[in-house]
Amino acid sequence: MAKGLDVGTSYIVFSSEQDGVISYKDFRDAFYVIKPTTPVANKMIEKGLTGKIFIKDSDGSFILLGKDAIEKAIERNDTAKRPMYRGVVSAKEKDAKRILAFILKEVVGEAKVTSEKIVFCVPAQPIDQDDDDFDVGYHEDVVKTILSECGYSPKAINEAEALCYAELENDDYTGIGVSCGAGMTNVCVMLNGEPTVLFSTTKSGDWIDRMSSIATGEPDSVVQVEKEGGNFTIGEPNDSPVLSAVSSYYERLIDYTVKNLSLALSQHKSLPKFKEPLTIVVAGGTSQAKGYIELFKQKIEENNFPLKLKEIRHATDPLHSVSKGCLIAAKVL
Amino acid sequence: MINIVDIFVIVLVLLNIVFLCIGYLLGKTTLKNLDTVSSNILSSKENRSIVSKNRIEIDDTKVVTKINIDNLEKKYGELAETKNTSENISSSVNKLKNMKG
């Protein structure tokens, strides 16, 4: 038995396999706190939350979890909080570790056998930011502690590396994986199953939400929900001011990602010399926008990509690929 | 000739001198005690600051300590649904195992 876990800024995806069937359990990585001011308010709030996913804290606060948290935040013209920020445990949220621990334990459950293997993903160090607060080591330790308490034997791998394991079987595990998450974009250049280049950039889905929020005056959660509604195509005009801003920032994001990808690879000292043209596979929730892959291909051509490419394609299951890759790694390593 | 007024004044002056001496002696004794008390207070404060400087404090934003979630009460049935797929990863696993040796 082995398990895979994508600990994402926006989604937590748990994968397992039994009798040749892969199962996924997804949960939105968000929370929203409501503090009642009076005992009467306490009862009314609890009644109003019937049917929602929430927990109660010892100080009497109600903490909504997942998509219910986002919906409640939008109702109150507010933004839901996240236990993760840019792919790692948020240092800004004081409840981040507790909420993340709670959600992870609920999603993964107890290990079926003692020291059952579980592989989870972590981001790579960003190339576009010098940030002393970005501590992957600490994030890895937090997640390992939580999973160990559930009886697992946890191991971490890079997020884009996991994507390569899930999607590059037909390319003999040689190619490039680009995981476009909410917090960051992670890249892995893989050669015969070995990750040779790993890095990340700090602009991704959340950056689009933030910039569109500033441009339109709407809270981030509202922008996120409209964006995920999918009623827009990147590069095409839109009647909604929010989606128009989102489309515009998507163009900037893809341009930024491809420029950084090209630059990082052309400057990399130990980039392998590939005999054959490569495949780039793109995954992650942020890559699901209509027109993403088309614009990505266009930007690759415009930016003198340093490697010969045969194909740029979308992952078969962009939301679950990383978790599937972690599951494969758990069975191999 | 010394009259009663003079005697009264002399007695008053003498009494003043006596009370001055008593006051001086009392003050000296009290101050000595205060000094001891305040130096005791000072040294215990110093001791406390020395003790607190020597106390080891763990920065829990750098080192993972126990994450207590016992005081969070669950108020729902199932957190998330499980979705099954028809994907098969056995060929991926076998191929990767062979490549990694």
Side-chain angles (χ1 to χ4, degrees), chain A residues 6 11 28 36 48 91 161-162 183 185 209 222 226 231 236 242 263 296 307 310 318:
Chain A
D6 175 5
Y11 274 95
R28 197 87 207 213
E161 180 187 349
T185 300
D209 297 344
V222 169
E226 275 219 48
N231 295 323
E236 287 181 15
V242 169
L263 192 64
F296 192 93
L307 297 168
K310 70 175 181 194

Side-chain angles (χ1 to χ4, degrees), chain A residues 100 108 114 161 183 209 222 229 286-288 297:
Chain A
L100 183 64
V108 306
T114 317
E161 180 187 349
D209 297 344
V222 169
T286 299
S287 73
Q288 289 192 287
K297 285 177 184 173

Side-chain angles (χ1 to χ4, degrees), chain B residues 31-89:
Chain B
L31 270 172
K32 205 175 173 185
N33 286 343
L34 264 176
D35 213 32
T36 314
V37 166
S38 66
S39 68
N40 281 347
I41 290 169
L42 265 172
S43 69
S44 71
K45 269 189 185 166
E46 272 168 10
N47 284 343
R48 270 202 294 265
S49 71
I50 288 167
V51 164
S52 68
K53 274 178 196 165
N54 288 341
R55 189 180 300 143
I56 296 168
E57 287 180 2
I58 296 172
D59 180 358
D60 68 354
T61 64
K62 299 288 177 200
V63 175
V64 183
T65 52
K66 181 162 171 48
I67 304 166
N68 185 12
I69 59 168
D70 295 336
N71 49 0
L72 295 173
E73 188 190 341
K74 209 164 123 171
K75 293 279 196 182
Y76 56 86
E78 196 68 40
L79 188 80
E81 280 179 17
T82 303
K83 292 169 200 167
N84 294 332
T85 70
S86 54
E87 293 172 88
N88 194 312
I89 58 168

Side-chain angles (χ1 to χ4, degrees), chain A residues 95-106:
Chain A
D95 291 324
K97 274 190 301 188
R98 287 171 74 223
I99 302 298
L100 183 64
F102 187 91
I103 292 174
L104 284 180
K105 285 183 176 181
E106 284 290 297

